Amino acid sequence: MDAFKVIEIKESVFEDNNRQAAVLRDELKQSRTFLLNLMSSPGSGKTTTVVRTIEALKDEMKIGVVEADVDSDVDAATVARTGARVIQVHTGGMCHMDANMTRQGLSGLDTQDLDFVILENIGNLLCPAEFDTGAVKNAMILSVPEGDDKPLKYPLMFSVVDVLLVNKIDAMSFFDFDLEAVRRRVARLNPKIRIIPISAKTGQGIDEWAGWIRSEVRRWQQDK
Amino acid sequence: MDAFKVIEIKESVFEDNNRQAAVLRDELKQSRTFLLNLMSSPGSGKTTTVVRTIEALKDEMKIGVVEADVDSDVDAATVARTGARVIQVHTGGMCHMDANMTRQGLSGLDTQDLDFVILENIGNLLCPAEFDTGAVKNAMILSVPEGDDKPLKYPLMFSVVDVLLVNKIDAMSFFDFDLEAVRRRVARLNPKIRIIPISAKTGQGIDEWAGWIRSEVRRWQQDK
């Protein structure tokens, strides 16, 4: 048996994505499954962060991962080695996941008994920001080598997320990256955002990030 | 007077983009203007590379730049400081440039007297790969921090370009990046591709890159 399934998803026929997303969130509420939508540029460290996150939390909750990719299985293979339940969805060239596409991924994964599911969205700072996937919370990763000007260039993405992980902070000395400038630029777009500097490579900051997830999952499972 | 113009471009009404692209290339041939389409992820160093390229070539040819962005002017302001003629085009959320959008940018820039124009495409490894912009040649940047697995995940982009610049090679020791693995993976997708390792920060490799442009511009201007 393969370590993970692969499904080719169909573009949504539903025009009303926001309504589909709300319905999906209701279903996730009933199954007590917390869905996190994780977005970023290509190469910002999404998969390494997902692996670190699973390692930090797998002894206390049941975790699944939906890996969205245009047509490769590289990330699903990496994540499957953690022992978490993983499904790879292929979007066939589409640069985002919407609520109905996410539902297809969750159905293939079978999430009824899972506490926490990460949707690793397509590597892209534009399209994914425009679609509510049905996730309970949204997070993005900005990596230090990408530069501190990204909030100026991709404002929508920074506006729609609950958490910003600033990854590869171990490389800060190597790049001309001003974390305080990022904080100021992001605060203008999104005053309530939580910013957590991490290094998925060294593990720095992962405790704080896992702590945020832990409390959000608890709240989601306990709220009526 | 501002250092550069900004135009809001309209989505193309032409269904036959390939034909529009061919027409645009014919026009560029007549005006002896070589158009290079430069693509990459956000934060890979496109703008810094454009600045370095202008510095290397501006004494021997007339250069213009079309900066495509969703809605910011950050890159155009940076490039305008080189003294090159620059126009900023706003795609209004669209994640690619097509031939007609490129034509709008070139018209705004006024390219009749220019030898070499760089189209700095939207920061995205997916959508831009699907559209012929009318450029004479296509190049992409992969930066070392993005990882050596990108050809596996974004095969179309690596298939459609003539040149791959591997940028931030000064950071190679800091990241787990296997240049030979990239060469092998890219060769399977695109045997004729030219791969040039560069550091836009330190200037390493820029001579080779400028040399490639110089010979391509000459050939374009001399061929009947």
Side-chain angles (χ1 to χ4, degrees), chain B residues 135-215:
Chain B
V136 183
K137 295 281 174 179
N138 296 287
M140 71 169 288
I141 302 176
L142 170 68
S143 67
V144 164
E146 292 173 69
D148 53 33
D149 62 342
K150 291 300 158 293
L152 304 174
K153 299 183 62 181
Y154 302 92
L156 183 63
M157 178 60 81
F158 289 85
S159 303
V160 299
V161 295
D162 301 286
V163 175
L164 166 63
L165 300 175
V166 179
N167 191 22
K168 308 191 190 180
I169 48 161
D170 55 303
M172 191 91 89
S173 61
F174 207 91
F175 293 95
D176 187 23
F177 184 93
D178 184 344
L179 184 57
E180 290 313 307
V182 169
R183 288 188 194 277
R184 279 195 312 275
R185 287 161 184 167
V186 171
R188 279 195 288 269
L189 297 164
N190 187 343
K192 288 189 184 166
I193 198 171
R194 170 92 173 253
I195 299 179
I196 307 178
I198 66 165
S199 166
K201 188 161 113 179
T202 69
Q204 193 180 343
I206 296 296
D207 278 354
E208 183 181 351
W209 167 233
W212 180 83
I213 294 169
R214 188 179 294 118
S215 68

Coordinates of all heavy atoms in Angstrom, one line a residue, chain B residues 135-215:
Chain B
A135 N 7.4 37.8 -26.1 CA 8.9 38.0 -25.9 C 9.7 37.1 -26.8 O 9.2 36.1 -27.3 CB 9.3 37.6 -24.4
V136 N 10.9 37.6 -27.2 CA 11.8 36.9 -28.1 C 12.4 35.7 -27.3 O 12.5 34.6 -27.9 CB 12.9 37.8 -28.6 CG1 13.7 37.0 -29.6 CG2 12.3 39.0 -29.2
K137 N 12.7 35.9 -26.1 CA 13.3 34.8 -25.2 C 12.7 34.9 -23.8 O 12.2 35.9 -23.4 CB 14.8 34.9 -25.1 CG 15.5 34.7 -26.4 CD 15.6 33.2 -26.8 CE 16.3 33.0 -28.2 NZ 16.4 31.6 -28.6
N138 N 12.7 33.7 -23.2 CA 12.1 33.6 -21.8 C 13.2 33.2 -20.8 O 13.9 32.2 -21.2 CB 10.9 32.7 -21.8 CG 9.8 33.1 -22.6 OD1 9.1 34.1 -22.3 ND2 9.6 32.5 -23.8
A139 N 13.2 33.8 -19.7 CA 14.2 33.4 -18.7 C 13.4 33.3 -17.3 O 12.4 33.9 -17.1 CB 15.3 34.4 -18.6
M140 N 14.0 32.5 -16.4 CA 13.4 32.4 -15.1 C 14.6 32.5 -14.1 O 15.7 32.1 -14.4 CB 12.6 31.2 -14.9 CG 13.4 29.9 -14.8 SD 12.4 28.5 -14.2 CE 12.1 28.9 -12.5
I141 N 14.2 32.9 -12.9 CA 15.2 32.8 -11.8 C 14.7 31.8 -10.7 O 13.5 31.8 -10.4 CB 15.3 34.2 -11.1 CG1 15.7 35.3 -12.1 CG2 16.2 34.1 -9.9 CD1 15.8 36.7 -11.5
L142 N 15.6 30.9 -10.3 CA 15.3 30.1 -9.2 C 16.4 30.5 -8.2 O 17.5 30.5 -8.5 CB 15.5 28.6 -9.5 CG 15.5 27.6 -8.3 CD1 14.1 27.6 -7.7 CD2 16.0 26.3 -8.7
S143 N 15.9 30.9 -6.9 CA 16.9 31.3 -6.0 C 17.2 30.1 -5.0 O 16.3 29.3 -4.8 CB 16.5 32.5 -5.2 OG 15.3 32.2 -4.4
V144 N 18.5 30.0 -4.6 CA 18.9 28.9 -3.8 C 18.1 28.6 -2.5 O 17.7 27.5 -2.3 CB 20.4 29.2 -3.4 CG1 20.9 28.3 -2.2 CG2 21.3 29.0 -4.6
P145 N 17.6 29.7 -1.8 CA 16.8 29.4 -0.6 C 15.4 28.7 -1.0 O 14.8 28.1 -0.1 CB 16.5 30.8 0.0 CG 17.6 31.6 -0.5 CD 17.9 31.1 -1.9
E146 N 15.0 28.8 -2.2 CA 13.7 28.1 -2.6 C 13.8 26.6 -2.6 O 12.8 25.9 -2.6 CB 13.3 28.6 -4.0 CG 12.8 30.1 -4.0 CD 12.6 30.5 -5.4 OE1 11.6 30.1 -6.0 OE2 13.4 31.3 -5.9
G147 N 15.0 26.1 -2.8 CA 15.3 24.7 -2.8 C 15.4 24.1 -4.2 O 14.9 24.6 -5.2
D148 N 16.1 22.9 -4.2 CA 16.5 22.3 -5.5 C 15.4 21.4 -6.0 O 15.5 20.8 -7.1 CB 17.8 21.5 -5.4 CG 17.8 20.5 -4.2 OD1 16.7 20.0 -3.9 OD2 18.9 20.3 -3.6
D149 N 14.3 21.3 -5.3 CA 13.1 20.4 -5.7 C 12.1 21.2 -6.6 O 11.2 20.6 -7.1 CB 12.4 19.8 -4.5 CG 11.8 20.9 -3.6 OD1 12.1 22.1 -3.8 OD2 10.9 20.6 -2.8
K150 N 12.4 22.4 -6.9 CA 11.4 23.2 -7.6 C 11.1 22.7 -9.1 O 10.0 22.7 -9.5 CB 11.7 24.7 -7.6 CG 11.6 25.4 -6.3 CD 10.2 25.3 -5.7 CE 10.1 25.5 -4.2 NZ 10.7 24.3 -3.4
P151 N 12.1 22.2 -9.8 CA 11.8 21.6 -11.1 C 10.8 20.5 -11.0 O 10.1 20.3 -12.0 CB 13.2 21.2 -11.6 CG 14.2 22.0 -10.9 CD 13.6 22.2 -9.5
L152 N 10.8 19.8 -9.9 CA 9.9 18.7 -9.8 C 8.5 19.2 -9.5 O 7.5 18.5 -9.9 CB 10.3 17.8 -8.6 CG 11.7 17.2 -8.6 CD1 12.0 16.5 -7.3 CD2 11.8 16.2 -9.8
K153 N 8.4 20.4 -8.9 CA 7.0 20.9 -8.5 C 6.4 21.8 -9.5 O 5.2 22.0 -9.5 CB 7.2 21.5 -7.1 CG 7.6 20.5 -6.1 CD 7.7 21.1 -4.7 CE 6.3 21.5 -4.2 NZ 6.3 22.1 -2.9
Y154 N 7.3 22.5 -10.3 CA 6.8 23.5 -11.2 C 7.3 23.2 -12.6 O 8.0 24.0 -13.2 CB 7.1 24.9 -10.8 CG 6.5 25.2 -9.4 CD1 7.3 25.0 -8.3 CD2 5.2 25.6 -9.3 CE1 6.7 25.2 -7.0 CE2 4.7 25.9 -8.0 CZ 5.4 25.6 -6.9 OH 4.9 25.8 -5.7
P155 N 7.1 22.0 -13.1 CA 7.8 21.5 -14.4 C 7.5 22.4 -15.6 O 8.4 22.6 -16.4 CB 7.3 20.1 -14.6 CG 6.0 20.0 -13.8 CD 6.2 20.9 -12.6
L156 N 6.3 22.9 -15.7 CA 6.0 23.7 -16.9 C 6.9 24.9 -17.0 O 7.5 25.2 -18.1 CB 4.5 24.2 -16.9 CG 4.1 24.9 -18.2 CD1 4.2 24.0 -19.4 CD2 2.6 25.5 -18.0
M157 N 7.1 25.7 -15.9 CA 7.9 26.8 -15.9 C 9.3 26.5 -16.4 O 9.9 27.2 -17.3 CB 8.0 27.5 -14.5 CG 8.8 28.7 -14.4 SD 8.3 30.1 -15.5 CE 7.0 30.8 -14.6
F158 N 9.9 25.4 -15.9 CA 11.3 25.1 -16.3 C 11.3 24.6 -17.7 O 12.4 24.5 -18.3 CB 11.8 24.0 -15.3 CG 12.1 24.5 -13.9 CD1 11.2 24.7 -13.0 CD2 13.4 25.0 -13.6 CE1 11.4 25.2 -11.7 CE2 13.7 25.5 -12.4 CZ 12.7 25.6 -11.4
S159 N 10.2 24.1 -18.3 CA 10.1 23.6 -19.6 C 10.1 24.7 -20.7 O 10.5 24.5 -21.8 CB 8.9 22.8 -19.8 OG 8.9 21.7 -18.9
V160 N 9.5 25.9 -20.3 CA 9.2 26.9 -21.3 C 10.3 28.0 -21.4 O 10.2 28.8 -22.3 CB 7.9 27.6 -21.1 CG1 6.7 26.6 -21.2 CG2 7.8 28.4 -19.8
V161 N 11.3 28.0 -20.5 CA 12.3 29.1 -20.6 C 13.6 28.7 -21.3 O 13.9 27.5 -21.4 CB 12.7 29.5 -19.1 CG1 11.4 30.2 -18.5 CG2 13.2 28.4 -18.3
D162 N 14.2 29.7 -21.9 CA 15.5 29.5 -22.6 C 16.7 29.5 -21.6 O 17.7 28.9 -21.9 CB 15.7 30.6 -23.6 CG 14.5 30.6 -24.6 OD1 14.5 29.7 -25.5 OD2 13.6 31.5 -24.5
V163 N 16.5 30.3 -20.5 CA 17.6 30.4 -19.6 C 17.1 30.3 -18.2 O 16.0 30.8 -17.8 CB 18.3 31.8 -19.7 CG1 19.4 32.0 -18.6 CG2 18.9 32.0 -21.1
L164 N 17.8 29.6 -17.3 CA 17.5 29.5 -15.9 C 18.7 30.2 -15.2 O 19.9 29.7 -15.3 CB 17.4 28.0 -15.5 CG 17.5 27.8 -13.9 CD1 16.3 28.4 -13.2 CD2 17.5 26.3 -13.6
L165 N 18.4 31.3 -14.5 CA 19.4 31.9 -13.6 C 19.2 31.3 -12.2 O 18.1 31.3 -11.6 CB 19.2 33.4 -13.5 CG 19.3 34.1 -14.9 CD1 19.0 35.6 -14.7 CD2 20.7 34.0 -15.4
V166 N 20.2 30.7 -11.7 CA 20.2 30.2 -10.3 C 20.8 31.3 -9.4 O 22.0 31.4 -9.4 CB 20.9 28.9 -10.1 CG1 20.8 28.4 -8.7 CG2 20.3 27.8 -11.0
N167 N 19.9 32.0 -8.7 CA 20.4 33.2 -8.0 C 20.6 32.9 -6.5 O 20.2 31.9 -6.0 CB 19.3 34.3 -8.1 CG 19.7 35.7 -7.6 OD1 20.9 36.0 -7.6 ND2 18.8 36.5 -7.3
K168 N 21.3 33.9 -5.9 CA 21.7 33.8 -4.5 C 22.7 32.6 -4.2 O 22.6 32.0 -3.2 CB 20.5 33.7 -3.6 CG 19.4 34.8 -3.8 CD 18.3 34.9 -2.8 CE 17.2 35.9 -3.2 NZ 16.1 36.0 -2.3
I169 N 23.6 32.4 -5.2 CA 24.5 31.3 -5.0 C 25.5 31.7 -3.9 O 26.2 30.8 -3.4 CB 25.3 30.9 -6.3 CG1 25.8 32.1 -7.1 CG2 24.4 30.0 -7.2 CD1 26.9 31.7 -8.0
D170 N 25.6 32.9 -3.6 CA 26.5 33.3 -2.4 C 25.9 32.7 -1.1 O 26.7 32.6 -0.2 CB 26.6 34.8 -2.3 CG 25.2 35.5 -2.2 OD1 24.4 35.3 -3.1 OD2 25.0 36.2 -1.2
A171 N 24.7 32.3 -1.1 CA 24.0 31.7 0.1 C 24.1 30.2 0.0 O 23.4 29.5 0.8 CB 22.6 32.2 0.2
M172 N 24.8 29.6 -0.9 CA 24.7 28.2 -1.2 C 25.2 27.4 0.1 O 24.6 26.4 0.4 CB 25.7 27.8 -2.3 CG 25.5 26.4 -2.8 SD 24.3 26.3 -4.1 CE 25.3 26.5 -5.5
S173 N 26.2 27.9 0.8 CA 26.7 27.2 1.9 C 25.7 27.2 3.1 O 25.7 26.3 4.0 CB 28.0 27.8 2.4 OG 27.7 29.2 2.8
F174 N 24.8 28.1 3.0 CA 23.8 28.3 4.1 C 22.6 27.4 4.0 O 21.9 27.0 4.9 CB 23.4 29.7 4.2 CG 22.9 30.1 5.6 CD1 23.9 30.7 6.4 CD2 21.6 29.9 6.0 CE1 23.5 31.0 7.7 CE2 21.3 30.3 7.3 CZ 22.2 30.8 8.1
F175 N 22.3 27.0 2.7 CA 21.1 26.2 2.4 C 21.5 24.8 1.9 O 22.6 24.7 1.3 CB 20.2 26.9 1.5 CG 19.6 28.2 2.0 CD1 20.2 29.4 1.8 CD2 18.5 28.1 2.8 CE1 19.7 30.6 2.4 CE2 18.0 29.3 3.4 CZ 18.6 30.5 3.2
D176 N 20.7 23.9 2.1 CA 20.9 22.5 1.6 C 20.4 22.5 0.1 O 19.2 22.2 -0.1 CB 20.1 21.6 2.5 CG 20.4 20.1 2.1 OD1 21.5 19.9 1.5 OD2 19.6 19.3 2.4
F177 N 21.2 22.9 -0.8 CA 20.8 23.1 -2.2 C 21.8 22.4 -3.1 O 23.0 22.7 -3.1 CB 20.8 24.6 -2.6 CG 20.3 24.9 -3.9 CD1 18.9 25.2 -4.1 CD2 21.1 24.9 -5.0 CE1 18.5 25.5 -5.4 CE2 20.7 25.2 -6.3 CZ 19.3 25.5 -6.5
D178 N 21.4 21.5 -3.9 CA 22.2 20.6 -4.8 C 22.1 21.1 -6.2 O 21.1 20.8 -6.9 CB 21.8 19.2 -4.6 CG 22.7 18.2 -5.4 OD1 23.5 18.7 -6.3 OD2 22.6 17.0 -5.1
L179 N 23.1 21.9 -6.7 CA 23.0 22.5 -8.0 C 23.0 21.4 -9.1 O 22.4 21.5 -10.1 CB 24.2 23.5 -8.2 CG 24.2 24.2 -9.5 CD1 22.9 25.0 -9.8 CD2 25.4 25.2 -9.6
E180 N 23.8 20.3 -8.8 CA 23.8 19.2 -9.8 C 22.5 18.5 -9.9 O 22.1 18.1 -11.0 CB 25.0 18.2 -9.5 CG 26.4 18.8 -9.7 CD 26.5 19.5 -11.0 OE1 26.2 18.9 -12.1 OE2 26.9 20.7 -11.0
A181 N 21.8 18.4 -8.8 CA 20.4 17.8 -8.9 C 19.5 18.7 -9.7 O 18.7 18.2 -10.5 CB 19.9 17.6 -7.4
V182 N 19.6 20.0 -9.5 CA 18.8 20.9 -10.3 C 19.1 20.8 -11.8 O 18.2 20.6 -12.6 CB 19.1 22.4 -9.9 CG1 18.5 23.4 -10.9 CG2 18.5 22.7 -8.5
R183 N 20.4 20.7 -12.1 CA 20.8 20.5 -13.5 C 20.2 19.2 -14.1 O 19.7 19.2 -15.2 CB 22.4 20.4 -13.7 CG 23.1 21.7 -13.5 CD 24.6 21.5 -13.8 NE 25.4 22.7 -13.4 CZ 25.5 23.8 -14.0 NH1 24.9 24.0 -15.2 NH2 26.2 24.8 -13.5
R184 N 20.3 18.1 -13.4 CA 19.7 16.8 -13.8 C 18.2 17.0 -14.0 O 17.6 16.5 -15.0 CB 20.0 15.7 -12.8 CG 21.3 15.1 -12.9 CD 21.4 13.8 -12.1 NE 20.8 13.9 -10.8 CZ 21.5 14.3 -9.7 NH1 22.7 14.6 -9.8 NH2 20.9 14.3 -8.5
R185 N 17.5 17.5 -13.0 CA 16.0 17.6 -13.1 C 15.6 18.5 -14.2 O 14.6 18.2 -14.9 CB 15.5 18.2 -11.7 CG 15.6 17.1 -10.6 CD 15.5 17.7 -9.2 NE 15.7 16.6 -8.2 CZ 16.0 16.8 -7.0 NH1 16.0 18.1 -6.5 NH2 16.2 15.8 -6.2
V186 N 16.3 19.6 -14.4 CA 15.9 20.6 -15.5 C 16.2 20.0 -16.8 O 15.4 20.1 -17.8 CB 16.6 21.9 -15.3 CG1 16.5 22.8 -16.5 CG2 16.1 22.6 -14.0
A187 N 17.3 19.2 -16.9 CA 17.7 18.7 -18.2 C 16.7 17.7 -18.7 O 16.4 17.6 -19.9 CB 19.1 18.0 -18.1
R188 N 16.0 17.0 -17.8 CA 15.0 16.0 -18.2 C 13.8 16.8 -18.8 O 13.1 16.3 -19.7 CB 14.5 15.2 -17.0 CG 15.4 14.0 -16.7 CD 14.7 13.0 -15.8 NE 14.6 13.5 -14.4 CZ 15.6 13.3 -13.5 NH1 16.6 12.6 -13.7 NH2 15.4 13.8 -12.2
L189 N 13.5 18.0 -18.3 CA 12.4 18.8 -18.8 C 12.7 19.6 -20.0 O 11.8 19.8 -20.8 CB 11.9 19.8 -17.7 CG 11.4 19.2 -16.3 CD1 11.4 20.2 -15.3 CD2 10.0 18.6 -16.5
N190 N 13.9 20.0 -20.1 CA 14.3 21.0 -21.1 C 15.8 20.9 -21.4 O 16.6 21.6 -20.9 CB 14.0 22.4 -20.4 CG 14.2 23.5 -21.4 OD1 14.8 23.4 -22.4 ND2 13.6 24.7 -21.0
P191 N 16.1 19.9 -22.3 CA 17.5 19.6 -22.6 C 18.4 20.8 -23.1 O 19.6 20.8 -23.0 CB 17.5 18.5 -23.7 CG 16.1 18.0 -23.6 CD 15.2 19.1 -23.1
K192 N 17.7 21.8 -23.8 CA 18.4 22.9 -24.4 C 18.6 24.1 -23.5 O 19.2 25.1 -23.9 CB 17.7 23.4 -25.7 CG 17.7 22.4 -26.9 CD 17.1 23.1 -28.0 CE 16.9 22.3 -29.3 NZ 16.1 23.0 -30.2
I193 N 18.1 24.0 -22.3 CA 18.1 25.2 -21.5 C 19.6 25.6 -21.1 O 20.4 24.7 -21.0 CB 17.3 24.9 -20.2 CG1 16.9 26.2 -19.4 CG2 18.1 24.0 -19.3 CD1 15.9 26.0 -18.3
R194 N 19.8 26.9 -21.0 CA 21.1 27.4 -20.5 C 21.0 27.7 -19.0 O 20.0 28.4 -18.6 CB 21.4 28.7 -21.3 CG 22.6 29.5 -20.8 CD 23.9 29.0 -21.5 NE 25.0 29.9 -21.1 CZ 25.5 30.8 -22.0 NH1 25.0 31.0 -23.2 NH2 26.5 31.6 -21.6
I195 N 21.8 27.2 -18.2 CA 21.8 27.4 -16.8 C 23.0 28.3 -16.3 O 24.1 28.0 -16.6 CB 21.8 26.1 -16.0 CG1 20.6 25.3 -16.4 CG2 21.8 26.4 -14.5 CD1 20.5 23.9 -15.7
I196 N 22.7 29.4 -15.7 CA 23.7 30.4 -15.3 C 23.6 30.7 -13.8 O 22.6 31.3 -13.4 CB 23.7 31.7 -16.1 CG1 23.7 31.4 -17.6 CG2 24.8 32.6 -15.7 CD1 23.5 32.7 -18.5
P197 N 24.5 30.2 -13.0 CA 24.5 30.5 -11.6 C 24.9 31.9 -11.4 O 25.9 32.4 -11.9 CB 25.5 29.5 -10.9 CG 25.8 28.5 -12.0 CD 25.6 29.2 -13.3
I198 N 24.2 32.7 -10.6 CA 24.5 34.1 -10.4 C 24.3 34.5 -8.9 O 23.6 33.8 -8.1 CB 23.7 35.1 -11.2 CG1 22.2 35.0 -10.8 CG2 23.8 34.8 -12.7 CD1 21.3 36.2 -11.3
S199 N 24.9 35.6 -8.5 CA 24.5 36.3 -7.3 C 24.2 37.7 -7.7 O 25.2 38.5 -7.9 CB 25.5 36.2 -6.2 OG 25.2 37.1 -5.2
A200 N 23.0 38.1 -7.7 CA 22.6 39.5 -8.1 C 23.2 40.4 -7.0 O 23.4 41.6 -7.3 CB 21.1 39.7 -8.2
K201 N 23.4 39.9 -5.8 CA 23.9 40.7 -4.7 C 25.4 41.0 -4.9 O 25.8 42.2 -4.8 CB 23.7 40.0 -3.4 CG 24.0 40.8 -2.1 CD 23.3 40.2 -0.9 CE 24.3 39.6 0.1 NZ 23.7 39.1 1.3
T202 N 26.2 40.0 -5.1 CA 27.6 40.2 -5.2 C 28.1 40.5 -6.7 O 29.2 40.9 -6.9 CB 28.4 38.9 -4.8 OG1 28.2 37.9 -5.7 CG2 27.9 38.5 -3.4
G203 N 27.2 40.2 -7.7 CA 27.6 40.4 -9.1 C 28.1 39.2 -9.7 O 28.4 39.1 -11.0
Q204 N 28.4 38.1 -9.0 CA 28.9 36.9 -9.5 C 28.0 36.3 -10.7 O 26.8 36.3 -10.5 CB 29.0 35.8 -8.4 CG 29.8 34.6 -8.8 CD 29.9 33.6 -7.6 OE1 29.6 33.9 -6.4 NE2 30.3 32.4 -7.9
G205 N 28.6 36.0 -11.8 CA 27.8 35.4 -12.9 C 27.2 36.4 -13.8 O 26.6 36.0 -14.8
I206 N 27.1 37.6 -13.4 CA 26.4 38.6 -14.2 C 27.1 38.9 -15.6 O 26.4 39.1 -16.6 CB 26.3 40.0 -13.4 CG1 25.4 39.8 -12.1 CG2 25.7 41.1 -14.3 CD1 24.0 39.4 -12.4
D207 N 28.4 38.7 -15.6 CA 29.1 38.8 -16.9 C 28.6 37.8 -17.9 O 28.4 38.1 -19.1 CB 30.6 38.6 -16.7 CG 31.3 39.9 -16.2 OD1 30.6 41.0 -16.2 OD2 32.5 39.9 -15.9
E208 N 28.5 36.6 -17.4 CA 28.0 35.5 -18.3 C 26.6 35.8 -18.8 O 26.3 35.6 -20.0 CB 28.1 34.1 -17.6 CG 27.7 33.0 -18.6 CD 27.8 31.6 -17.9 OE1 28.2 31.5 -16.8 OE2 27.3 30.7 -18.5
W209 N 25.8 36.2 -17.9 CA 24.4 36.5 -18.2 C 24.3 37.7 -19.2 O 23.6 37.7 -20.2 CB 23.6 36.8 -16.9 CG 22.3 37.5 -16.9 CD1 21.9 38.6 -16.2 CD2 21.1 37.0 -17.6 NE1 20.6 38.9 -16.4 CE2 20.1 37.9 -17.3 CE3 20.8 36.0 -18.4 CZ2 18.8 37.8 -17.8 CZ3 19.5 35.9 -19.0 CH2 18.5 36.8 -18.6
A210 N 25.1 38.8 -18.9 CA 25.1 39.9 -19.8 C 25.6 39.5 -21.2 O 25.1 40.0 -22.2 CB 25.9 41.0 -19.2
G211 N 26.5 38.6 -21.2 CA 27.1 38.1 -22.5 C 26.0 37.4 -23.3 O 25.9 37.5 -24.5
W212 N 25.2 36.6 -22.6 CA 24.1 35.9 -23.3 C 23.2 36.9 -23.9 O 22.8 36.8 -25.1 CB 23.4 34.9 -22.3 CG 22.3 34.2 -23.0 CD1 22.4 33.0 -23.7 CD2 20.9 34.6 -23.0 NE1 21.1 32.7 -24.2 CE2 20.2 33.6 -23.7 CE3 20.2 35.6 -22.4 CZ2 18.8 33.6 -23.9 CZ3 18.8 35.7 -22.6 CH2 18.1 34.7 -23.4
I213 N 22.8 37.9 -23.1 CA 21.8 38.9 -23.6 C 22.4 39.6 -24.8 O 21.8 39.8 -25.8 CB 21.5 39.9 -22.5 CG1 20.7 39.2 -21.4 CG2 20.7 41.1 -23.1 CD1 20.6 40.1 -20.1
R214 N 23.7 40.0 -24.7 CA 24.4 40.8 -25.7 C 24.3 40.0 -27.1 O 24.0 40.6 -28.1 CB 25.8 41.0 -25.3 CG 26.6 41.9 -26.2 CD 28.1 42.1 -25.7 NE 28.1 42.8 -24.4 CZ 28.6 42.3 -23.3 NH1 29.1 41.0 -23.3 NH2 28.6 43.0 -22.2
S215 N 24.6 38.7 -27.0 CA 24.6 38.0 -28.3 C 23.2 37.7 -28.8 O 23.0 37.8 -30.0 CB 25.4 36.7 -28.1 OG 24.7 35.8 -27.3

